[in-house]
Amino acid sequence: MSVAKPAAFGDATAIAALVASGDRTAAAVVDDHLARIAEHEGDVHAFNLVMADDARSAAAAVDEAIAAGETPGRLAGVPVAIKDNMCTRGVPTTCSSKILEGWEPPYTATVVDRLVAEGAIPVGKTNLDEFAMGSSTENSAFGATKNPYDLDKVPGGSSGGSAAAVAAGFAPASLGSDTGGSIRQPASLCGVVGVKPTYGAVSRYGLIAFGSSLDQIGPFTTTVGDAALLYEVIAGDDPLDSTASPQPALPVSSKLDAGVDGLRVGIITEMAGDVIEGISGDVLARLRAAADALAAAGAVVDEVSVPSTVYGLPAYYMVAPAEASSNLARFDGVRYGLRADGTNTAAMNMASRTAGFGPEVKRRIMLGTYALSAGYRDAFYGKAQQIRTKITEDFDSAYENFDVLLSPASPSTAFALGDKTADPLTMYLNDVCTIPSNLSGHPAMSVPFGVGDDGLPIGVQVLAPMLGEVVMFQVAAELERAGA
Ligand code: GLN
């Protein structure tokens, strides 16, 4: 059964315009969305927490400010859903893990503050794979999220709740985090736009870290224009995040109507069918159709080899777990959340971590600790870092001849719940097309481009060089116009 209804009450741009002009109140907009959530959330389970009361008071405040003649924000009255690994002061933030039980952050993530400063209304915290480790949202300690297009299928992951919330019409926009594909893959499976900005383009202050050299926050929306708007609101320097780029938000809305005449578009050979195995025929057909649409609009389309991308997956599964094993050391039963009893401190730490973390998180911590251990560090972690450098170099040479690259976002459409849970390696393969841009730090996004043989959504990935967001959005907008 499908309960999909993206932009059920209008997209973010349209809602903000109506609220700013006084044609609709933020209160009415929020009530519409809360009613839709009440009707279908039981089927979808996009949220760990619906913030109905907070949302209603925030909407009332927006309406009062507008009535008082204040300039409405760029997102006035727009309901937004926030992935539950981003801190919200005084509101439980769980990472879909039992280990954070009862914890309420004492501060709010910069991205959430920036949305709210523009009049957006957080309506809830969305479900994810525990600590963002997974590709189906089935690793959540609180149960899986379902794909709104087919409730027997996964929404992708790890930001499955954020993607599903937008696809189901619970909010016109949401935030996710992408360490290896966790925005782009669920965006593809849920038929929405999902953007991973350049590493450092968006502040991660208040994002609970998974792989610090890879993590990036980005938006889910129903249109490319909305994604550009959200990006422009959340991007830009932040004194609270030392890894944030000093660059102000790039003007990604400026070229959405510019077309692609003369732009050079390269289809990544390794992801076009023959080299990386397991990409399904219908996904490849949509990739070709997207390339044809861009060519028809005047782009110069060719294939380009980015050879080392085939090693992205094994390199990622050294680097990401290594960083996770270090980042997750802070969850020790002492300072946050769950504490299980033990006869001394070490026993208490072990009991708390044993009870608090799920199997995938434990697997990553062990893998990462092993990869960093004396005698193995150079062979595993060191080698992975060399591959990472090579991938960045290969992308950089491709961008000498191409403005953007094109590939699938996910190797298949949404798969059945339970289908891949027994075999972690099969699950990891979902990110084969998305991981290379996390390793290189380059921006990439998934744009819906038709459906597969099963009638479920397929996204095409547009990749761009470092801080190449403007041209990336320009090409994405053309794909959107070309439709499917
Ligand atoms: N699926 C990948 C993983 O499990 C990527 C997750 C992510 O981007 N957060 O690590």
Side-chain angles (χ1 to χ4, degrees), residues 83 85 129 131-136 139 157-159 177-185 210 215 316-317 320-321 360 364 427-428 430-431 434-435 438:
K83 187 175 182 179
N85 61 353
D129 287 297
F131 283 100
M133 298 174 188
S135 305
S136 67
N139 292 336
S158 66
S159 317
S177 64
D178 189 314
T179 306
S182 279
I183 293 175
R184 292 159 287 159
Q185 184 257 8
F210 164 10
D215 298 339
Y316 172 88
Y317 277 98
E360 184 60 28
R364 305 279 180 113
M427 191 66 93
Y428 296 172
N430 283 293
D431 299 304
T434 47
I435 276 173
N438 297 86

Side-chain angles (χ1 to χ4, degrees), residues 182-206:
S182 279
I183 293 175
R184 292 159 287 159
Q185 184 257 8
S188 179
L189 271 48
C190 289
V192 297
V193 178
V195 182
K196 182 199 89 76
T198 298
Y199 180 78
V202 174
S203 167
R204 299 174 304 169
Y205 177 72

Side-chain angles (χ1 to χ4, degrees), residues 390-426:
K390 185 77 184 113
I391 289 175
T392 309
E393 288 171 359
D394 283 2
F395 270 130
D396 286 342
S397 5
Y399 288 123
E400 283 172 17
N401 298 313
F402 293 91
D403 297 298
V404 297
L405 302 178
L406 219 56
S407 83
S410 159
S412 71
T413 57
F415 46 92
L417 288 152
D419 226 21
K420 301 189 182 183
T421 39
D423 179 3
L425 280 181
T426 315

